[in-house]
Amino acid sequence: MYLKKLNPKSMKSENKRMILRYLIENGSQSRMDIVRKTKLAQSAVWRITEELIEEGLLEISTRRKRATIVAPTKSFMTAVVFNVEVSETTVAMGFLNGSWKVVKRFSTPKVFEEFKEEVRSSLQEAIKIQQVVDGKLPKLVFSLPGMVNNEKAFLIHAPNIGWKHIDFRKEFEDLGMEILADNDSNLSLLAELFFSQDVKKSKTSFFLYLSEGVGGAISLNRNIARGENFAAGEIGHVIIDLNGSREVEEFLSISKLIERVEKLVQLKGKTPKEKFHHLLHLWLLGDHGVKKVVEEYLRHLAVVLRNIIYFLNPGVIILGGLVNNLWETFGFFVKTELQKITDEEIAKVIIRDTVFKEVSPSLVGGNVLAIESFLKSVN
């Protein structure tokens, strides 16, 4: 990616974008590190980094005896991200260096007009907290649990929250900000594509998004595959029980798992995430009833992973969403089940949790979407 010589007609702009992207993805670097990685001339790297510093996009993080270390400006806010989940919406500020800061959380309203009011009040809080650099307004990004036309920021359908046919650009055009929207699974995989080396190197990758619903995202040759009608990867709606016409979502939704466990024992916590942590605690204590329900869930997970492996033959499968440590916790059991039903050679695929542990990976992906949009505008 960084080794390619660029077209002379747009060399300066392309080189600026390449250097900025490299620093966002890899963090603080010396100018000589940039020269080595990009294969650009030393004079070009010095000139471009100085220009980026003057524009407020890079900053000098440290000075050493023989090297100046530069990094993307921490204070440059690229996005205000609304990560919409069925129960709760998280609002975060995203920055040019790829970091984020959660501003607030609120219960996701089923009535969209109420959601619009929450967006406006939350946006005021975010802008008040973070000074806008050089008058450059951040992008307004929505991560949504449903089918999304990302080109038009148009929500086709989010059945779990009852929203349908919503034009986010039209609904928020009065704010004077660029509006971006995408499906939560696609954004999760976009974040991994931006920051994870194994996904960058893989020709095909899959993100299995496990939350109150179940979603999926596919990358082919490092591009998100969206499909003719923006429904590619929607594995949650695949039927795996023909007699009952039951979908994957019914078997693998974290909320459905919690419901099944709560028929046996009342779980502590208000949110699905809190309840899952208590469920995990009971599993670790060896509660027989909980263990039985969870193992049934994990066997279904193994079946779904098998289907993904045979259908796509990906290099990497990533698990994440509401719970970001599922493989770390249950991977040994799932792997054992998977080996029973999958050819040994085909099963040689990397399966892991998302690298983003503190927040939903789709929130990180929302900021990456804004960064990608911003990079295109760099001249």
Side-chain angles (χ1 to χ4, degrees), residues 81-85 88-92 102 104-106 363:
V81 181
F82 286 80
N83 191 67
V84 181
E85 294 178 338
E88 186 178 68
T89 295
T90 303
V91 188
V102 173
K104 67 182 289 190
R105 292 180 171 88
F106 59 84
L363 186 152

Side-chain angles (χ1 to χ4, degrees), residues 51-58 73 75-77 130-138 374:
E51 191 171 317
L52 288 167
I53 290 168
E54 288 174 15
E55 292 173 3
L57 301 179
L58 291 186
T73 307
S75 60
F76 192 103
M77 183 164 56
Q130 184 68 32
Q131 185 180 356
V132 176
V133 177
D134 293 334
K136 293 185 177 75
L137 284 174
F374 174 76

Side-chain angles (χ1 to χ4, degrees), residues 253-271:
S253 159
I254 298 297
S255 292
K256 297 288 186 184
L257 172 61
I258 289 168
E259 281 178 22
R260 289 193 284 273
V261 169
E262 288 202 307
K263 288 178 181 177
L264 304 173
V265 60
Q266 185 62 43
L267 294 172
K268 295 176 183 176
K270 294 180 180 178
T271 67

